[in-house]
Amino acid sequence: MQRILSGLRPTGKVHIGNYFGALKNWVKLQSDYETFYEIADWHSLTTKYDDTEALKQRIIDTAIDWISVGIDPGKSVLFVQSDVKEHAELHLLLSMLITVPRLQRNPTVKEMARDEGLQEKLSYGLLGYPVLQASDVLIYRPEKVPIGEDQLPHLEITRELGRRFNNLYGRVFPEVEPVLTDIPRLPGMDDQKMSKSLDNAIYISDTTEIVLKKILNAYTDPTKIKKDDPGHPKGCVVFAYLRALEVNSIEDIRKECRGGDRGCVECKKETASLLNDFLEPFREERRRIEREVDVVEILKSGGDRARVEAKKTMALVREAMNLW
Ligand code: TRP
């Protein structure tokens, strides 16, 4: 069976951009691949090093979100990055194989630094974010990495580092390929990238009322002021959500909007209700998990399983590099 590795930082709340961009594929791929899904707690320190008080709880909440959308601990290995110290060793070794200017060109790191107000204070750790991510991936020697579009620059660095290692020391790592969903980038309510730090996200754990409120406040076509003004679905956040939900009547909705036969308020209410219907099974599942499932135990045993694979790769890496 081919192997998959992916991960998310433990922000504590998974948003619908994470879901439609990556998690949806994680769930689907579980049946046909050996799947490893990591909660990247060290990565969260690249920007949130000063906010660790609730980190353990955020890890647990992230795992609950994952399981509630269908990540099955019986099929997938769910684990916490810092539970597998071997990632740190590989990170150190790979950091020798990439230049600082190459890392400075990474648009996703630049974006993160900007969104967090860290441009002038870019740490060594944040600059090395993609190197740590490369070690997360390569240490499991997977074939595929299901991610959102924003992660592609990181994956490119992973591929470069794998190739460079293989050329220098002999082949240890496979060529990894990204796997994208049909909705690799879902906009936030303000039409920027959906992100916790921009405070524009809809979370899969949001209540019905919050979802409605957020959608009613979402950015739509600024040229459509009255109901019968013709709209432009292409740049509309709400239309992007309807597409993600794979609404059957999407073509009719597009026509009605363009023709001025559909008002934004009505459209938003309909979208919120569809999104709430979609999220309701996840909410129910979360209540069950909170009652019945020992998430800490799942993560611990996932860590044990992941560590076995990571140790195998590190033995190959040390041998290839002639390390002591
Ligand atoms: N950078 C990813 C994110 O923020 C998280 C991540 C860490 C990851 N390690 C990974 C994703 C390895 C894929 C593979 O969403």
Side-chain angles (χ1 to χ4, degrees), residues 223-319:
T223 65
K224 184 169 163 64
I225 296 157
K226 296 195 297 307
K227 172 177 183 278
D228 45 9
D229 289 338
H232 302 86
K234 199 160 176 264
C236 174
V237 164
V238 176
F239 192 75
Y241 298 162
L242 286 168
R243 276 196 40 201
L245 288 165
E246 298 180 71
V247 176
N248 282 331
S249 51
I250 193 81
E251 281 316 313
D252 296 337
I253 294 175
R254 190 200 304 271
K255 273 193 212 122
E256 285 171 22
C257 174
R258 282 216 185 116
D261 301 320
R262 167 174 276 264
C264 290
V265 176
E266 169 202 354
C267 187
K268 284 175 163 180
K269 283 188 183 153
E270 191 181 331
T271 305
S273 144
L274 288 164
L275 183 55
N276 273 323
D277 290 348
F278 182 81
L279 294 176
E280 194 49 37
F282 299 165
R283 295 185 185 118
E284 256 167 57
E285 183 61 3
R286 167 171 308 97
R287 288 192 283 272
R288 184 192 70 82
I289 297 162
E290 282 167 351
R291 266 196 324 268
E292 298 173 9
V293 178
D294 186 346
V295 176
V296 174
E297 187 45 42
I298 288 172
L299 292 174
K300 284 217 166 116
S301 71
D304 292 343
R305 171 78 188 88
R307 205 174 305 112
V308 170
E309 294 308 316
K311 278 187 189 297
K312 284 188 204 159
T313 302
M314 285 318 293
L316 296 173
V317 164
R318 290 184 211 112
E319 190 184 73

Side-chain angles (χ1 to χ4, degrees), residues 3-188:
R3 192 177 279 175
I4 291 237
L5 176 288
S6 195
L8 279 175
R9 279 167 292 164
T11 56
K13 283 182 180 187
V14 170
H15 58 60
I16 60 171
N18 299 138
Y19 178 77
F20 288 108
L23 271 165
K24 194 176 168 188
N25 262 347
W26 295 13
V27 174
K28 203 166 72 192
L29 294 163
Q30 295 181 106
S31 326
D32 300 322
Y33 292 84
E34 187 188 5
T35 40
F36 287 78
Y37 298 129
E38 140 191 315
I39 299 182
D41 57 342
W42 282 337
H43 273 108
S44 70
L45 300 178
T46 60
T47 55
K48 298 276 183 255
Y49 54 87
D50 55 352
D51 179 20
T52 59
E53 204 179 326
L55 186 54
K56 287 205 181 84
Q57 191 56 47
R58 286 206 300 269
I59 290 172
I60 290 168
D61 292 343
T62 301
I64 293 176
D65 270 1
W66 289 6
I67 301 169
S68 77
V69 303
I71 302 293
D72 178 352
K75 288 184 185 161
S76 294
V77 181
L78 307 194
F79 69 103
V80 180
Q81 180 183 40
S82 66
D83 215 358
V84 186
K85 313 292 182 222
E86 285 74 8
H87 291 219
E89 183 184 358
L90 187 56
H91 171 235
L92 172 86
L93 298 174
L94 294 178
S95 74
M96 314 301 167
L97 309 186
I98 189 161
T99 65
V100 170
R102 174 68 186 91
L103 290 170
Q104 282 167 331
R105 282 203 304 275
N106 182 297
T108 303
V109 167
K110 282 194 215 165
E111 211 173 77
M112 263 191 296
R114 190 198 58 213
D115 295 348
E116 303 279 345
L118 294 172
Q119 276 145 313
E120 307 303 319
K121 304 189 277 185
L122 190 75
S123 71
Y124 174 54
L126 181 51
L127 185 66
Y129 187 111
V131 184
L132 181 56
Q133 184 153 333
S135 80
D136 294 345
V137 173
L138 294 174
I139 210 161
Y140 299 100
R141 289 175 286 153
E143 277 79 15
K144 300 211 167 82
V145 185
I147 41 176
E149 196 175 60
D150 62 318
Q151 298 297 306
L152 289 175
H154 295 333
L155 200 80
E156 203 38 54
I157 288 178
T158 298
R159 290 161 54 86
E160 285 171 27
L161 281 168
R163 243 180 270 139
R164 179 122 172 89
F165 184 98
N166 289 346
N167 287 337
L168 283 166
Y169 308 114
R171 191 173 174 81
V172 170
F173 299 117
E175 281 270 329
V176 290
E177 298 287 342
V179 186
L180 298 181
T181 67
D182 301 338
I183 313 285
R185 190 176 196 115
L186 196 65

Side-chain angles (χ1 to χ4, degrees), residues 198-218:
L198 298 177
D199 196 21
N200 63 1
I202 298 175
Y203 298 101
I204 59 161
S205 54
D206 278 345
T207 62
T208 330
E209 297 74 33
I210 291 183
V211 167
L212 176 63
K213 202 169 132 206
K214 285 183 173 175
I215 301 250
L216 285 174
N217 284 322

